[in-house]
Amino acid sequence: MTALVETFEYAHAQIAELSGAGYDTVARASGSILISTLYARAGFAAVRGRHRIPLLVSELGLLEAAVINLESYEGNEAALCTGYGLLDDLVNRKSSSGILCCIHGILAFTDEADGAEDPAQGIVV
């Protein structure tokens, strides 16, 4: 989660500095709109003794947008490598874990579906 939040924060700062776009546009383009939600989910997962933090299917596009926008807005190589690494991890996880399914709007793999009644199940980030 730390790498994900750092990627979103860096993308936000970089896009805000170089684009001149409004706050809402920058928050969506950088994925930073998701940060407070991730912290809330991490707290909930910790209270429940879970190590996984769920992402909604629709939120995966925010990470992809942040990385692509960093390419456009002169993101440094380390931040880009981290962002692409996170995306690669999701792709590798998909190929090694089995078929994707959506449980209550949360992207999960079939091997994780046994805990589907628990909203703290999901993608490890």
Side-chain angles (χ1 to χ4, degrees):
M1 185 177 117
T2 302
L4 185 61
V5 169
E6 287 175 352
T7 299
F8 288 154
E9 287 176 340
Y10 177 70
H12 184 96
Q14 199 69 9
I15 295 167
E17 181 181 331
L18 298 175
S19 74
Y23 181 83
D24 289 339
T25 301
V26 171
R28 291 187 192 287
S30 66
S32 65
I33 195 168
L34 188 57
I35 292 173
S36 60
T37 304
L38 288 173
Y39 279 124
R41 291 178 193 167
F44 179 74
V47 166
R48 302 284 308 249
R50 305 285 185 188
H51 300 288
R52 298 172 184 211
I53 300 174
L55 285 178
L56 298 176
V57 175
S58 61
E59 294 168 343
L60 295 174
L62 292 173
L63 174 58
E64 189 173 35
V67 174
I68 290 169
N69 284 320
L70 274 175
E71 289 263 0
S72 299
Y73 290 100
E74 303 172 11
N76 74 40
E77 192 172 319
L80 286 168
C81 286
T82 299
Y84 279 118
L86 288 167
L87 290 171
D88 286 345
D89 286 346
L90 292 174
V91 169
N92 291 336
R93 182 147 164 74
K94 177 181 174 183
S95 65
S96 66
S97 292
I99 299 170
L100 285 173
C101 60
C102 185
I103 303 167
H104 304 295
I106 298 171
L107 186 63
F109 295 95
T110 53
D111 63 339
E112 297 169 342
D114 295 335
E117 68 280 355
D118 184 350
Q121 294 290 329
I123 293 179
V124 176
V125 234

